[in-house]
């Protein structure tokens, strides 16, 4: 299998369907041989059915219990091993060219992980790479809230990218033992990226195409990230390089 | 895997230069992390390099790994690991001579004086990888006050004090122990920079001050005379003459001379842009650095 | 004087205003070839009336790109290339013959210093003087490179090139720009018509910024040319920045331009004298107040 796309999802069937339709369109524009879409049904109240999701090549991995994002992703990767994985949030609608762009970056550069630019419905940047500020701020989305048209389209090589749309080589994922399941919700992607870079694995972020991210549609609790954040800082405080704040 | 091994993350030029070099290698596609005690990362300058725990790394590396180092005291410990070694020479001192004589160590130099030293001492044709200044230091239109002289009290405070007593028309702004951003802002707003560190290796602060558009008045340095040219890019004076040199160049009638020093200093500093060093690194790869590194 | 037969080549385009003076100062040349780019004024008539051989060519943005193809038109061993807005001194033939006689055996090409005038002022420095130009050479020994105003190549090796040492030597005379506005316009035209590396991997805007600083430093000589030096140095420094932006634009505006620049670096004026004396004034008022209180 050339690519497994793993989408951990809880409820919101219509949203998931749109996500998969956009993904299918993006897959069609790549030169990939065999690709598989793996929806990890992460304890949805009503289990997903294949006919809910339209494309015939969607595989559903049903989990009756609600697991962490990291555990759901790891389970999906184990279920359909591939040369490369794309972890995708169910509220990310990929631009039709985004996947081809990411695969092109893998081909052109010596990298192990690739992200892509994500925008909010009003064309403001939601993600185009993760930077690290000093103090309590820590990791943050570079240029968040900036108009996408104003930010350079050159491929970047940040310290981390979001797990909402993250492509990673099998070798890198296996060496890192996947996402750390100790993180309940959030920061598992940044942790993975920092661990990857310690091993010399380089990270890129494609900037040419704007994919839509509706952001935290499924879990809107205000303190949803707190436990993960505490764990992240316990592990990494003082151990990541500071590469800027919004003013520089 | 490649590691740049450092003794700490304190506010020392060698630490920043080490991280910057590792970052340039990363950008060139080299798999590399910086190994520091406790895998701590510096927060006083901007960088995007990953850090790993030095103790763990030194205990686990082997023949297929490469360790880059710049502190001569690290040589015995790193040699014992059996890894390939690259010495990133950031200062010339008899302490580095045993390293230069070790033909199993690849030697990189950052400036011409060091390259010459390697040739004279050990007949080594070191690979020049250059050195650069962070972009943040280059003047950006900040209003500049000609009555203000920046200096670093940690290096040569006594000389600076004499200058303060001698040149009462200027305000003296100490910049030390601060982050790179704060230093850069102070320099960009200052008319002068006093380089008071006697026997400094390269003297990166003076070059950063040139980039920031300061008129530099400095004592001679060991390796940095390639950019510190008296009467052309800076005023260079022995420690006892430095206050008089500052008085002379800061007087009212010396405006044209100051302007000329600023222009030439800024042009000189431009030769040390990161983009220029990237070009040098490409040449260095072809000159043998590529073979000395580990490619996983 | 042992006369040397010289073939003169001049490229023209609508050069009627300046060509007569050039022709008047080169009548001694054994052969004069005018390569004309579709002039719509009296350039061709002027050239023919002066007995020149006129060759037509298509209009090009950068004349240096086509110079090489017309060099073989020269019939004589020694060639002199002039731009249509240049001219020579009255003793040019004598000076040229002396140079060739004295050094023609050891050198194939000579770089002639050039007087340039900007806004009516002949420049003494600021990169405009001596401004050596490789224009006198043995046929077949010099080639032009692509692009605007690139340095020529001496095909027989750098050691076969001699720079004429000023002041006492043959010069080219050049009235460049009537004013700063025409200087700016021409620089913009060169920048817009030049060729740029199409490989995005080679682009870094900060190298243009570094070139801008270097250009300003090279050109800024107010001790020699006064305020005009500052003006031309600034224009030419900003020319590098403009070229960087044009290059960036042609590559699709994808690269970041996060390089600070500010040319020239100028400090603020000193604080106002009133403010400097403020502490004294405050002290004076305080003493008056306290004296009133004591009473």
């Amino acid at each position: 299998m050339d690519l497994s796309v793993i989408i951990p999802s809880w409820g919101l069937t219509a949203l998931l369907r749109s996500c998969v339709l956009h993904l299918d369109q993006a897959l069609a524009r790549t030169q990939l041989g065999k690709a598989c879409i793996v929806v990890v049904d992460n304890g949805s109240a009503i289990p997903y059915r294949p006919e809910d999701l339209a494309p015939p090549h969607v595989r559903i991995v049903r989990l009756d219990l609600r697991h962490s994002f990291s555990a759901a992703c790891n389970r999906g990767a184990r279920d359909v091993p591939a040369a490369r994985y794309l972890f995708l949030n169910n509220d990310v609608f990929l631009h039709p060219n985004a996947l081809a762009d990411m695969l092109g970056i893998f081909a052109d550069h010596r990298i192990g992980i690739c992200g892509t630019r994500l925008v909010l419905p009003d064309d403001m940047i939601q993600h185009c790479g993760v930077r690290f500020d000093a103090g309590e701020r820590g990791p943050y989305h570079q240029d968040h809230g900036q108009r996408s048209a104003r930010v350079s389209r050159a491929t970047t090589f940040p310290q981390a990218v979001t797990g909402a749309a993250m492509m990673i080589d099998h070798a890198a994922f296996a060496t890192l033992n996947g996402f750390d399941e100790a993180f309940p919700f959030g920061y598992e992607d940044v942790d993975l990226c920092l661990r990857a870079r310690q091993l010399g694995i380089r990270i890129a972020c494609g900037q040419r195409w704007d994919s839509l991210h509706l952001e935290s549609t499924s879990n809107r609790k205000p303190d949803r990230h707190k436990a993960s954040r505490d764990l992240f800082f316990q592990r990494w405080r003082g151990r990541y390089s500071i590469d800027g704040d919004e003013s520089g | 895997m490649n590691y740049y091994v450092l003794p700490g993350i304190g506010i020392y030029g060698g630490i920043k230069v080490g991280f910057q070099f590792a970052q340039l290698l990363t950008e060139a596609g080299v798999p590399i992390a910086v190994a520091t005690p406790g895998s701590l990362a510096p927060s006083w300058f901007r960088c995007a390099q990953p850090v790993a725990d030095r103790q763990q790394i030194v205990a686990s590396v082997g023949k297929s790994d490469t360790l880059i180092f710049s502190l001569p005291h690290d040589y015995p410990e790193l040699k014992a690991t059996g890894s390939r070694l690259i010495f990133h020479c950031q200062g010339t001192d008899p302490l580095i001579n045993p390293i230069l004589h070790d033909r199993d160590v690849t030697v990189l130099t950052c400036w011409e004086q060091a390259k010459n030293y390697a040739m004279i001492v050990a007949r080594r044709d070191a690979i020049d990888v250059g050195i650069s200044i962070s972009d943040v230091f280059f003047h950006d239109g900040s209003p500049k006050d000609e009555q203000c002289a920046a200096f670093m009290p940690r290096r040569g405070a006594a000389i600076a004090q004499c200058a303060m007593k001698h040149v009462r028309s200027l305000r003296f702004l100490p910049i030390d122990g601060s982050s790179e951003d704060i230093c850069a802002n102070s320099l960009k707003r200052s008319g002068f920079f006093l380089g008071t560190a006697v026997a400094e290796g390269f003297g990166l602060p003076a070059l950063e001050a040139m980039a920031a558009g300061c008129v530099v008045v400095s004592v001679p340095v060991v390796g940095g005379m390639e950019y510190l040219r008296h009467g052309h890019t800076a005023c260079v004076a022995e420690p006892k003459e430095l206050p008089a040199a500052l008085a002379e160049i800061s007087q009212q009638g010396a405006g044209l001379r100051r302007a000329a020093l600023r222009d030439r200093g800024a042009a000189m500093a431009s030769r040390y842009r990161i983009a220029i060093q990237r070009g040098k690194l490409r040449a260095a790869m072809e000159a043998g650095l590529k073979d000395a590194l580990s490619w996983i | 004087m042992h006369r040397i037969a010289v073939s003169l080549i001049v490229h023209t385009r609508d050069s009627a205003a300046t060509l007569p003076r050039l022709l008047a100062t080169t009548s001694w040349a054994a052969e004069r070839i005018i390569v004309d780019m579709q002039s719509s004024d009296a350039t061709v008539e002027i050239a023919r009336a002066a007995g020149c051989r006129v060759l037509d060519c298509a209009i090009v943005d950068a004349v240096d790109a086509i110079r090489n193809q017309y060099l073989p038109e020269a019939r004589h061993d020694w060639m002199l290339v002039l731009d249509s807005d240049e001219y020579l001194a009255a003793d040019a033939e004598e000076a040229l013959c002396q140079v060739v006689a004295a050094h023609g055996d050891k050198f194939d090409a000579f770089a002639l210093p050039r007087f340039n005038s900007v806004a009516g002022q002949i420049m003494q420095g600021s990169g405009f003087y001596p401004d050596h130009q490789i224009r006198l050479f043995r046929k077949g020994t010099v080639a032009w490179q692509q692009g605007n105003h690139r340095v020529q190549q001496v095909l027989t090796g750098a050691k076969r090139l001699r720079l004429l040492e000023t002041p006492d030597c043959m010069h080219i005379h050049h009235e460049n720009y009537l004013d700063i506005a025409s200087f700016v316009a021409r620089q913009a035209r060169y920048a817009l018509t030049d060729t740029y590396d199409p490989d995005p991997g080679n682009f870094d805007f900060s190298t243009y910024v570094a070139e801008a600083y270097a250009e300003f430093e090279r050109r800024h000589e107010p001790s020699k040319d006064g305020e005009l030096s500052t003006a031309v140095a600034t224009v030419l420094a900003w020319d590098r920045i403009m070229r960087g932006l044009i290059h960036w634009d042609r590559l699709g505006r994808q690269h970041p331009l996060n390089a600070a620049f500010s040319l020239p670096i100028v400090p603020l004026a000193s604080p106002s004298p009133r403010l400097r004396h403020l502490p004294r004034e405050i002290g004076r008022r305080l003493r008056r107040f306290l004296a009133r209180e004591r009473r």
Side-chain angles (χ1 to χ4, degrees), chain A residues 119-170:
Chain A
V119 297
L120 298 165
D122 59 358
D123 285 318
M124 299 298 181
I125 288 188
Q126 187 274 320
H127 164 268
C128 68
V130 175
R131 278 196 175 171
F132 292 78
D133 197 3
E136 288 306 307
R137 192 177 182 200
Y140 68 95
H141 286 309
Q142 183 184 340
D143 290 313
H144 188 277
Q146 293 291 321
R147 191 163 295 283
S148 187
R150 284 202 201 132
V151 178
S152 169
R153 293 285 180 184
T155 301
T156 57
F157 297 90
Q159 293 200 67
V161 290
T162 181
M166 178 198 280
M167 192 180 283
I168 181 168
D169 270 345
H170 173 90

Side-chain angles (χ1 to χ4, degrees), chain A residues 131 152-155 208, chain C residues 253-258:
Chain A
R131 278 196 175 171
S152 169
R153 293 285 180 184
T155 301
R208 287 185 68 194
Chain C
R253 297 186 297 278
Q254 292 197 20
H255 298 76
L257 291 176
N258 50 1

Side-chain angles (χ1 to χ4, degrees), chain B residues 153-233:
Chain B
R154 203 162 47 131
R155 322 284 306 270
I159 300 171
Q161 271 178 332
C162 286
M164 280 186 238
K165 284 183 191 151
H166 195 77
V167 189
R168 294 200 178 269
S169 58
L170 297 180
R171 286 183 299 105
F172 288 80
L173 177 67
I175 45 170
D176 213 357
S178 308
S179 71
E180 196 181 54
D181 286 351
I182 293 174
C183 274
N185 277 337
S186 299
L187 286 172
K188 282 186 269 194
R189 281 160 171 74
S190 299
F192 298 90
F193 175 75
L194 293 193
T196 55
V198 175
E200 177 98 310
F202 186 69
L204 210 52
L207 190 59
E208 289 165 345
M210 281 183 193
C214 298
V215 172
V216 170
V217 182
S218 173
V219 297
V221 298
V222 176
M225 300 313 287
E226 66 183 43
Y227 73 83
L228 208 59
R229 296 184 195 166
H230 177 65
H232 187 74
T233 60

Side-chain angles (χ1 to χ4, degrees), chain B:
Chain B
M1 183 60 182
N2 304 278
Y3 297 96
Y4 197 121
V5 182
L6 287 173
I9 55 165
I11 301 181
Y12 299 100
I15 303 296
K16 187 165 78 168
V17 170
F19 265 89
Q20 284 175 341
F21 184 60
Q23 182 151 339
L24 284 177
L25 286 174
T26 296
E27 288 170 13
V30 177
I32 181 168
V34 180
T36 64
S39 83
L40 291 178
S43 59
W44 55 278
F45 59 89
R46 302 237 192 113
C47 183
Q49 264 305 99
V51 285
D53 182 65
R54 174 180 165 139
Q55 197 172 4
Q56 277 177 18
I57 297 305
V58 170
S60 62
V61 290
K63 283 190 305 200
S64 60
D65 300 300
T66 300
L67 301 178
I68 307 174
F69 68 104
S70 54
L71 190 67
H73 299 91
D74 285 335
Y75 170 58
E77 184 192 7
L78 301 184
K79 180 82 177 169
T81 63
S83 302
R84 292 192 285 182
L85 295 186
I86 296 177
F87 178 55
H88 185 213
C89 179
Q90 291 194 42
T92 54
D93 184 282
L95 282 173
I96 74 170
N97 293 357
I99 302 166
L100 296 178
H101 283 291
D102 183 349
R103 297 282 154 172
D104 290 333
V105 177
T106 302
V107 177
L108 311 178
T109 51
C110 306
W111 54 83
E112 202 181 328
Q113 176 267 338
K115 191 168 165 63
N116 294 341
Y117 184 92
M119 180 54 77
I120 291 166
V121 163
R123 314 263 347 125
R124 295 295 301 266
D125 193 13
I127 301 173
D128 175 25
V129 293
I131 192 169
S132 56
I133 312 167
S134 302
D135 284 344
V136 72
F137 285 98
F138 284 87
H139 195 258
D140 55 4
S142 301
K144 189 173 270 298
D145 182 0
E146 268 213 303
Q147 306 308 122
C148 181
F151 71 103
M152 291 190 165
R154 203 162 47 131
R155 322 284 306 270
I159 300 171
Q161 271 178 332
C162 286
M164 280 186 238
K165 284 183 191 151
H166 195 77
V167 189
R168 294 200 178 269
S169 58
L170 297 180
R171 286 183 299 105
F172 288 80
L173 177 67
I175 45 170
D176 213 357
S178 308
S179 71
E180 196 181 54
D181 286 351
I182 293 174
C183 274
N185 277 337
S186 299
L187 286 172
K188 282 186 269 194
R189 281 160 171 74
S190 299
F192 298 90
F193 175 75
L194 293 193
T196 55
V198 175
E200 177 98 310
F202 186 69
L204 210 52
L207 190 59
E208 289 165 345
M210 281 183 193
C214 298
V215 172
V216 170
V217 182
S218 173
V219 297
V221 298
V222 176
M225 300 313 287
E226 66 183 43
Y227 73 83
L228 208 59
R229 296 184 195 166
H230 177 65
H232 187 74
T233 60
C235 295
V236 182
E238 292 298 330
K240 283 199 179 120
E241 273 86 52
L242 191 133
L246 178 63
E248 207 257 330
I249 194 64
S250 63
Q251 66 186 345
Q252 211 165 355
L256 274 181
R257 278 198 297 135
R258 287 195 293 275
L261 289 174
R262 261 197 301 273
D263 295 342
R264 292 191 214 116
M268 175 61 79
S270 287
R271 296 189 208 174
Y272 295 86
R273 281 257 182 196
I274 291 174
I276 310 286
Q277 194 184 6
R278 275 195 202 105
K280 277 199 173 178
L281 191 59
R282 280 194 287 273
M285 289 290 196
E286 297 309 312
L289 178 57
K290 196 171 172 185
D291 298 325
L293 293 162
S294 298
W295 299 88
I296 48 174

